Amino acid sequence: MTRLFRSKNSHDPKEHTFLCSTKRIPLVSLRQVLTVAEYLNFHHAANHLGVSQSSVSARIKALEEELGILIFERRHRGVRLTEAGRRFVVEVSAGIEQVDHAVRTASTLSMGTSGRLAIGLHSSMAGGFLADLRRRFRSDYPEVEQTVVEGRAAETISNLRGAKLDVAFVMGAVDVPDCHSKPL
C-alpha cells in the first residue's frame, strides 16, 4: 500500500514522502523527475522549479540509486528517458494527479464549497422563503448536494442532535439548549 505522509527527519516542513514497499521517496523528488522528463534537460527543469541544477541532479541520482533503476540517460546536451524511466514517469504522473485531486477535494470540502448538506424542515415550510434560500445556495454552491428531510419538529430536532441533519427549520418557539438557534 502506498500512502502519503510527512517525513519525520525532513528539514523542510513542506517536504513529504511516499512510502513504497520499504523505500521512502520524497514527493519533491517525484515532482522533479516529472519536470526533468518534461524539459529533458536538468538546467531548464531546475530553472522552472526555481532550484539549482545540482540540487535536481543530486535528488534524481539519489532516487535512481534508491530504486535501483536508471530513469534518465545523461547526454552532453540534455537527457533522455530510459524505458524504465518512461514507465516510471507515466505511473508517477498518474499518482501525482491523484494526490493533487485528493488535496483539491479535501480543500473544497473543508471550505464548504462541495459536499452534502442535510436540511430538516417542517413540511408546511418547504415553499416560500426557504425554497428561495435553497435555490440561492444551490446557485452559489453547485457542488454541495442538498438533501431535505421533512418531519415534525420533535423528530427534526432529534435528527439534528443525532447528526443526521446539518441544519433544521421548525415552526414555533423551541427550547433546545444544546443547539444554536435563531428565530427567523
Side-chain angles (χ1 to χ4, degrees), residues 69-73 80-89:
I69 65 168
L70 190 62
I71 300 170
F72 296 103
E73 183 180 302
R80 184 172 82 175
L81 282 163
T82 64
E83 188 57 39
R86 268 193 273 298
R87 180 61 184 249
F88 184 74
V89 164

Side-chain angles (χ1 to χ4, degrees), residues 144-166:
V144 176
E145 176 188 340
Q146 293 182 33
T147 305
V148 175
V149 179
E150 295 182 18
R152 296 183 331 269
E155 180 182 7
T156 300
I157 291 170
S158 175
N159 284 336
L160 184 65
R161 283 181 167 150
K164 294 178 183 172
L165 297 172
D166 298 305

Side-chain angles (χ1 to χ4, degrees), residues 126-147:
F129 89 95
L130 281 178
D132 292 338
L133 181 63
R134 289 184 48 236
R135 264 192 296 280
R136 281 196 319 245
F137 186 85
R138 189 177 305 114
S139 175
D140 290 346
Y141 303 97
E143 297 297 314
V144 176
E145 176 188 340
Q146 293 182 33
T147 305

Side-chain angles (χ1 to χ4, degrees), residues 1 91 102 142:
M1 180 171 156
E91 298 293 331

